[in-house]
Amino acid sequence: AQRVTQPEKLLSVFKGAPVELKCNYSYSGSPELFWYVQYSRQRLQLLLRHISRESIKGFTADLNKGETSFHLKKPFAQEEDSAMYYCALTEGGSNYKLTFGKGTLLTVNP
Amino acid sequence: DAGVIQSPRHEVTEMGQEVTLRCKPISGHNSLFWYRQTMMRGLELLIYFNNNVPIDDSGMPEDRFSAKMPNASFSTLKIQPSEPRDSAVYFCASRSTGRTEAFFGQGTRLTVV
């Protein structure tokens, strides 16, 4: 069974500090990993996906298959980054299941 | 496209009453998901459909919960009878085959008193 673990429920940093939101997964095949973000009073939206290998709003995430991790990083946090972040996994291909972690609430203080 | 549309946005009901949540996926999307969001459990997958067929309902908490997708443009999640512990935000999401990004609705905030 696929599982996504986000060990930190809350994370608080100061503006300009580096931030790392942790995500570990368990799945025996080749999953597709995503980070979704939910700003206050808004719907969840895709932030980035591992297959794109892109940087969005200064965030990057590298899939580490050896450690089964997909941590989200940003070198200099901004106040507008404050939001709920969810790591998600899908098996891809013809399997449609999309499983989320419990989420990490990031607060960036001025 | 207006995106995934959920109704109602807010629902307050008394314990024991039936509650029906509605979702209109993005046109052309053939996978639909229902999630429940709470502080304690985060985002739980309740059930998902592909081409209107339920594929996995193992996340549905109890027999009080049921979901249907009578056609490609409409799905319902029903709770009968509702209980206070069902209070949560319920999200619907859809995506198309071949693209793995899911698009979410704005959610229905359910309060059972």
Side-chain angles (χ1 to χ4, degrees):
Chain A
Q2 56 193 41
R3 181 178 293 177
V4 179
T5 303
Q6 293 180 249
E8 302 143 327
K9 209 166 186 177
L10 303 169
L11 184 61
S12 182
V13 301
F14 286 102
K15 177 183 173 181
V19 63
E20 180 178 69
L21 292 88
K22 291 184 169 51
C23 172
N24 289 90
Y25 66 92
S26 64
Y27 176 61
S28 57
S30 294
E32 294 184 49
L33 277 296
F34 309 84
W35 277 98
Y36 280 77
V37 61
Q38 185 181 26
Y39 299 103
S40 180
R41 301 186 185 283
Q42 294 187 26
R43 68 184 73 195
L44 276 90
Q45 55 188 285
L46 179 68
L47 180 62
L48 54 78
R49 68 186 83 179
H50 90 269
I51 58 174
S52 299
R53 302 186 67 81
E54 56 194 346
S55 174
I56 303 293
K57 299 184 179 182
F59 285 97
T60 58
D62 291 319
L63 178 62
N64 185 324
K65 291 187 178 181
E67 295 182 359
T68 59
S69 68
F70 188 57
H71 303 326
L72 184 68
K73 301 177 183 179
K74 184 169 183 176
F76 307 104
Q78 303 299 314
E79 290 180 67
E80 56 266 29
D81 296 329
S82 296
M84 189 70 141
Y85 290 82
Y86 289 96
C87 183
L89 174 156
T90 188
E91 296 174 23
S94 60
N95 189 314
Y96 314 97
K97 192 171 185 176
L98 182 60
T99 303
F100 285 81
K102 292 187 178 182
T104 298
L105 180 62
L106 173 66
T107 302
V108 181
N109 301 299
Chain B
D1 199 317
V4 177
I5 300 173
Q6 291 186 246
S7 64
R9 290 290 306 278
H10 303 273
E11 176 81 33
V12 180
T13 191
E14 291 186 345
M15 183 174 66
Q17 296 298 306
E18 177 179 296
V19 175
T20 299
L21 311 181
R22 296 173 177 79
C23 175
K24 182 179 186 307
I26 292 173
S27 177
H29 283 189
N30 50 15
S31 292
L32 183 140
F33 305 82
W34 281 101
Y35 291 91
R36 178 172 66 177
Q37 183 185 45
T38 61
M39 287 295 293
M40 290 300 295
R41 295 200 178 96
L43 207 56
E44 300 173 275
L45 176 63
L46 301 177
I47 185 171
Y48 72 99
F49 296 83
N50 189 57
N51 292 325
N52 314 336
V53 176
I55 303 299
D56 185 344
D57 65 354
S58 59
M60 297 285 261
E62 307 172 25
D63 291 344
R64 298 184 296 108
F65 285 69
S66 62
K68 293 182 180 179
M69 192 165 185
N71 57 61
S73 58
F74 184 65
S75 177
T76 59
L77 177 67
K78 185 177 293 185
I79 308 173
Q80 165 64 19
S82 58
E83 296 183 3
R85 60 194 167 117
D86 301 331
S87 298
V89 180
Y90 291 81
F91 285 101
C92 176
S94 72
R95 72 179 185 191
S96 61
T97 302
R99 282 183 57 90
T100 52
E101 175 182 357
F103 293 84
F104 280 77
Q106 291 196 295
T108 295
R109 182 174 295 277
L110 173 65
T111 303
V112 183
V113 298

